[in-house]
């Protein structure tokens, strides 16, 4: 197998290959592949005129079909697909045949999209279909068996099979297409849609071409294997693609996926300087600005994109996010709907529209939106998580459990999915499973700092006071070690519980210190004062700590909670002198 450095040793040759495939894709109307190859070629050093690759020589069949092809291509470029297909009937050359079949496919897709847009209501899966698919499959299948399809023909055959939900057959055809024509990026992207996990990837027999490295980086990002993806992208930058805006944008998306918001924002800002009129990925940038609550920056981005192209899907999503941040949810939903009228298969808009319907308490519409998102991409964890939330509102915990599990499978190290799963198990009275989820959420890095509190409350419920106290101690240490401003009542809940716990253990000094901390919170102030009076009384009666009751210094996490090989950890007594809210 070729090494990465070996694959990229001759960048001049790679540039020539990119220019050649750009020409081939342009002739066939594959605009996205043209854009991808052109952007990549632009990031490499230019080559002298005498070394530029020549365009493919015309065959006898190409010459015969040239007039019909030239006319049809002009109609195709104007999106008059039926008209283009009509003039290409009977053409024999590979290029004209592909354009003929591709025109028929796109005509069917356009009609399907128009029908979807007209309703945009509660559509069941598969209710609106591309009527041309079955005929195309029959014709392409015959050509395939006769081995008459080139790399582009195989790509189209694979797309048709995937659209007909024949995933296994589609996968085999796409793999075959990568061997016949490795440099067509569209084929690799279609492969990404069919690969569900890393194991599946290992069993694919793919060509050892330099483009495979770009594919692996992309699929790792899609599968949420972000560390591997970032390593691949870094190796591509080191190999000579440091100026590629495609790679920079993919790295920003990868950081967005692992919620490293500051890093992602910084890369997106750099990308905007290099490519100020770029609209692609700007909806992801707006998601980051939304999470950070940066209204002025989001407003500027929305106005800027409107000036560039107000009828792009990404522009509508950015404006939708802006209105959502201003809590104008009806207006936000309107812009996400507008985005879907422009492209009903745009994943981000379906998910964001689901979120807006949730805000408006319209659960049935939210469910439909999330289901559409999953139909577009089954790997969208946000849609699975959103469905879990909607069914939680509807008090249907078994449904919740199913959807949260799916979200967790896609994001195994996301604490939010684990906390949601734990809450679900708690409602279903599966408390052992709930404990495991909360502990795992804490172990992977609890984003919302709620897992330990929920775990402590669960222990309280089960009268496991030692474990509850230990969780509250660790929670307080975590909160203050982060230097966070304590806004919610959970810190006061923790101090109140610990004060009562130490009081029962007759550890007066610790109980007194925790009771005093309760004074800092409105909801526990009176209880803190009452407990201090009781402590004073008990001290006056000279009651000493009971030998039977365990001291906090001897706390251990129970073995059952140390799931997934997480080491049991000893928690030292709480040093209250360092805790100053």
């Amino acid at each position: 197998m070729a090494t990465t450095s070996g694959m990229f040793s001759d960048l001049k040759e790679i540039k020539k290959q990119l220019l050649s495939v750009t020409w081939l894709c342009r002739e066939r109307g594959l605009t996205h592949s043209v854009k991808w190859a052109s952007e990549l070629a632009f990031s490499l050093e230019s080559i002298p005129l005498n070394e530029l690759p020549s365009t493919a020589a015309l065959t006898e069949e190409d010459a015969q079909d040239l007039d019909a092809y030239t006319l049809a291509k002009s109609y195709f470029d104007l999106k008059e697909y039926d008209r283009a297909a009509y003039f290409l009937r009977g053409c024999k050359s590979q290029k004209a045949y592909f354009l003929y079949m591709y025109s028929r496919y796109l005509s069917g897709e356009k009609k399907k999209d128009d029908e979807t847009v007209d309703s945009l209501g509660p559509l069941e899966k598969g209710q609106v279909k591309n009527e041309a698919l079955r005929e195309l499959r029959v014709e392409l299948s015959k050509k395939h068996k006769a081995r008459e399809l080139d790399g582009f023909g195989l790509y189209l055959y694979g797309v048709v099979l995937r659209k007909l939900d024949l995933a296994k057959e589609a996968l085999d055809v796409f793999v075959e297409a990568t061997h016949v024509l490795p440099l067509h990026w569209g084929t690799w992207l279609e492969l990404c849609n069919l690969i569900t996990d890393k194991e599946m990837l290992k069993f694919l027999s793919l060509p050892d071409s330099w483009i495979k490295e770009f594919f692996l980086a992309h699929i790792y990002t899609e599968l949420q294997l972000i560390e591997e993806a970032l390593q691949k992208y870094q190796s591509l930058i080191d190999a000579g693609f440091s100026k590629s805006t495609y790679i920079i944008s993919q790295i920003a998306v990868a950081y967005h996926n692992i919620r490293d918001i500051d890093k992602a924002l910084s890369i997106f800002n750099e990308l905007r300087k290099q490519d100020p009129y770029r609209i692609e990925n700007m909806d992801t940038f707006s998601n980051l600005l939304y999470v950070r609550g940066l209204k002025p920056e989001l407003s500027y981005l929305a106005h800027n994109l409107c000036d560039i192209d107000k009828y792009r899907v990404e522009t509508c999503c950015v404006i939708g996010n802006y209105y959502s941040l201003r809590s104008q949810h009806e207006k936000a939903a309107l812009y996400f709907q507008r985005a879907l009228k422009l492209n009903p298969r745009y994943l981000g808009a379906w998910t964001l529209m689901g979120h807006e319907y949730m805000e408006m308490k319209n659960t049935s519409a939210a469910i439909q939106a999330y289901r559409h998102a999953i139909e577009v991409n089954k790997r969208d964890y946000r849609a699975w998580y959103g469905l879990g939330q909607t069914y939680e509102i509807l008090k249907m915990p078994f449904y919740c459990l199913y959807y949260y599990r799916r979200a967790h499978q896609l994001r195994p190290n996301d604490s939010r999915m684990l906390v949601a799963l734990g809450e679900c198990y708690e409602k279903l009275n599966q408390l052992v499973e709930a404990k495991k989820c909360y502990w795992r959420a804490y172990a992977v890095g609890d984003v919302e700092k709620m897992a330990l509190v929920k775990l402590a409350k669960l222990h309280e419920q089960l009268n496991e006071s030692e474990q509850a106290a230990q969780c509250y101690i660790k929670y307080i240490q975590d909160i203050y070690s982060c230097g966070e401003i304590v806004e919610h009542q959970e810190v006061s809940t923790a101090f109140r519980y610990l004060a009562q716990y130490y009081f029962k253990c007759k550890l007066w000094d610790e109980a007194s210190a925790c009771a005093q901390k309760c004074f800092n919170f409105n909801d526990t102030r009176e209880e803190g004062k009452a407990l201090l009076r009781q402590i004073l009384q008990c001290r006056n009666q000279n009651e000493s700590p009971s030998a039977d009751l365990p001291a906090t210094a001897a706390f251990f996490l129970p073995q059952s909670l140390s799931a997934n090989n997480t080491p049991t950890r000893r928690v030292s007594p709480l040093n209250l002198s360092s805790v100053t809210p």
Side-chain angles (χ1 to χ4, degrees):
M1 197 179 229
T3 61
T4 305
S5 55
M7 283 179 183
F8 296 102
S9 56
D10 189 353
L11 289 177
K12 191 180 279 187
E13 184 53 37
I14 288 173
K15 173 116 179 182
K16 287 180 187 176
Q17 291 174 3
L18 284 166
L19 292 171
S20 295
V21 82
T22 301
W23 182 259
L24 292 173
C25 291
R26 186 177 287 117
E27 287 183 319
R28 288 158 180 82
L30 297 163
T31 49
H32 288 289
S33 293
V34 170
K35 182 168 78 87
W36 183 83
S38 302
E39 282 184 347
L40 215 53
F42 182 77
S43 70
L44 298 173
E45 291 293 320
S46 50
I47 48 183
L49 177 64
N50 60 336
E51 292 183 43
L52 283 172
S54 55
T55 55
L58 288 177
T59 63
E60 187 61 41
E61 287 177 336
D62 285 330
Q64 286 173 8
D65 296 340
L66 188 60
D67 290 342
Y69 165 78
T70 308
L71 178 65
K73 183 68 169 64
S74 69
Y75 295 145
F76 181 94
D77 291 341
L78 293 167
K79 298 188 179 178
E80 297 184 46
Y81 302 123
D82 289 327
R83 199 175 179 193
Y86 177 79
F87 285 100
L88 286 165
R89 291 168 308 149
C91 286
K92 297 285 188 288
S93 67
Q94 290 276 23
K95 185 167 65 178
Y97 178 74
F98 175 83
L99 198 64
Y100 169 61
M101 298 301 274
Y102 193 41
S103 296
R104 288 170 62 192
Y105 165 74
L106 287 179
S107 168
E109 284 295 291
K110 189 170 183 296
K111 285 164 189 165
K112 185 186 93 166
D113 287 350
D114 291 346
E115 221 173 304
T116 307
V117 164
D118 288 343
S119 50
L120 259 190
L123 293 168
E124 292 305 316
K125 186 178 183 209
Q127 194 173 320
V128 181
K129 292 177 181 171
N130 179 346
E131 298 298 336
L133 291 176
R134 295 191 185 283
E135 285 177 33
L136 290 170
R137 183 197 169 195
V138 172
E139 291 174 44
L140 287 165
S141 175
K142 284 178 190 167
K143 286 265 189 185
H144 185 235
K145 280 173 188 162
R147 299 193 171 280
E148 291 175 12
L149 290 178
D150 63 358
F152 291 111
L154 287 166
Y155 158 74
L156 182 56
Y157 184 36
V159 170
V160 168
L161 290 170
R162 184 175 73 79
K163 290 279 185 178
L164 289 167
D165 291 326
L166 300 166
K168 176 71 179 71
E169 294 93 322
L171 190 71
D172 294 339
V173 171
F174 285 132
V175 170
E176 188 185 340
T178 60
H179 284 276
V180 176
L181 185 68
L183 296 180
H184 178 215
W185 180 240
T187 305
W188 295 97
L189 277 186
E190 285 293 338
L191 257 183
C192 283
N193 291 327
L194 296 172
I195 294 167
T196 51
D197 53 50
K198 202 175 179 181
E199 286 305 305
M200 191 174 175
L201 190 59
K202 283 179 190 170
F203 292 109
L204 291 182
S205 166
L206 299 168
D208 278 332
S209 165
W210 59 265
I211 201 169
K212 182 183 172 185
E213 294 300 304
F214 283 90
F215 162 73
L216 288 173
H218 188 92
I219 189 65
Y220 287 156
T221 308
E222 288 287 303
L223 295 174
Q224 304 296 328
L225 302 166
I226 304 300
E227 277 185 39
E228 290 97 319
L230 288 170
Q231 281 170 10
K232 283 280 178 198
Y233 283 126
Q234 190 55 53
S235 69
L236 290 169
I237 284 172
D238 296 340
F241 291 94
S242 57
K243 293 178 184 172
S244 167
T245 51
Y246 164 75
I247 292 177
I248 295 167
S249 67
Q250 286 295 104
I251 291 171
V253 168
Y255 279 117
H256 164 268
N257 287 357
I258 52 169
R259 296 181 72 77
D260 189 339
I261 294 169
D262 293 331
K263 187 87 176 165
L265 280 171
S266 139
I267 296 169
F268 269 122
N269 282 320
E270 187 54 42
L271 180 65
R272 295 257 299 156
K273 283 177 193 166
Q274 288 187 35
D275 192 357
Y277 291 93
R278 182 189 184 93
I279 293 182
E280 199 178 352
N281 304 119
M282 287 303 114
D283 50 337
T284 307
F285 182 33
S286 77
N287 291 343
L288 294 162
L289 296 172
Y290 177 93
V291 170
R292 275 279 179 267
L294 300 170
K295 271 187 198 173
E297 289 85 345
L298 190 49
S299 170
Y300 175 77
L301 180 66
H303 280 99
N304 185 232
L305 295 185
C306 253
D307 289 343
I308 298 166
D309 186 351
K310 68 160 88 170
Y311 295 113
R312 271 284 288 272
V313 177
E314 294 90 341
T315 305
C316 294
C317 287
V318 171
I319 298 169
N321 270 339
Y322 172 67
Y323 282 120
S324 181
L325 189 56
R326 293 183 58 180
S327 300
Q328 293 177 258
H329 300 297
E330 289 84 358
K331 245 183 178 178
L334 187 70
Y335 273 95
F336 295 134
Q337 279 185 336
R338 196 172 284 182
L340 290 164
K341 282 188 184 292
L342 294 166
N343 182 358
R345 288 187 302 281
Y346 196 74
L347 171 69
W350 281 118
T351 310
L352 292 167
M353 194 156 78
H355 295 345
E356 292 312 306
Y357 283 135
M358 282 281 284
E359 292 287 346
M360 292 189 277
K361 307 286 188 287
N362 187 345
T363 47
S364 61
I367 287 169
Q368 287 300 336
Y370 289 135
R371 286 195 192 285
H372 272 297
I374 288 163
E375 201 175 309
V376 174
N377 183 359
K378 287 185 171 60
R379 286 196 298 265
D380 182 25
Y381 76 92
R382 295 168 306 167
W384 290 108
Y385 184 64
L387 277 169
Q389 287 180 309
T390 48
Y391 281 109
E392 198 172 338
I393 290 168
L394 295 170
K395 295 186 169 50
M396 298 167 80
F398 282 106
Y399 280 82
C400 277
L401 192 60
Y402 171 74
Y403 292 117
Y404 283 144
R405 268 183 184 157
R406 292 296 298 261
H408 170 58
Q409 283 163 6
L410 292 164
R411 298 271 290 190
N413 293 324
D414 194 322
S415 62
R416 293 166 304 162
M417 315 298 148
L418 285 156
V419 169
L421 262 178
E423 288 172 341
C424 239
Y425 280 124
E426 218 177 317
K427 282 170 189 161
L428 294 166
N429 214 28
Q430 296 181 30
L431 302 185
V432 175
E433 293 302 317
K435 280 187 199 177
K436 283 180 186 172
C437 287
Y438 291 143
W439 173 244
R440 177 85 183 128
Y442 167 65
V444 298
D446 185 14
V447 174
E448 291 167 340
K449 299 272 186 285
M450 287 302 293
L452 282 172
V453 173
K454 290 185 180 295
L455 187 54
K457 286 180 178 174
L458 203 53
H459 285 307
E460 264 189 81
Q461 205 178 314
L462 297 166
N463 295 318
E464 296 167 353
S465 53
E466 284 176 59
Q467 290 94 325
Q470 186 193 25
C471 288
Y472 278 130
I473 287 172
K474 190 65 191 148
Y475 167 68
I476 288 170
Q477 287 171 341
D478 282 0
I479 286 288
Y480 286 102
S481 68
C482 293
E484 291 186 10
I485 298 166
V486 181
E487 294 170 351
H488 46 72
Q489 60 182 22
E490 302 306 342
V491 174
S492 60
T493 306
F495 277 125
R496 178 172 56 197
Y497 181 84
L498 286 170
Q500 289 165 350
Y501 173 75
Y502 287 131
F503 181 77
K504 283 175 192 167
C505 294
K506 299 182 182 177
L507 295 165
W508 311 127
D509 289 344
E510 288 86 345
S512 176
C514 287
Q516 282 172 359
K517 289 293 169 192
C518 290
F519 291 2
N520 297 321
F521 307 94
N522 291 333
D523 58 327
T524 53
R525 189 171 294 140
E526 293 309 314
E527 286 176 77
K529 286 177 184 174
L531 196 60
L532 271 180
R533 285 195 291 271
Q534 282 180 278
I535 291 165
L536 197 60
Q537 271 182 336
C538 293
R539 270 187 164 150
N540 291 339
Q541 290 164 14
N542 290 322
E543 286 190 41
S544 58
S546 168
D548 303 333
L549 289 164
T552 43
F555 279 0
F556 289 91
L557 272 178
Q559 194 65 36
S560 63
L561 287 183
S562 305
N564 304 313
N565 301 319
T566 308
T568 46
R569 49 178 83 182
R570 184 169 177 155
V571 177
S572 55
L574 184 58
N575 178 7
L576 289 160
S577 61
S578 64
V579 177
T580 50

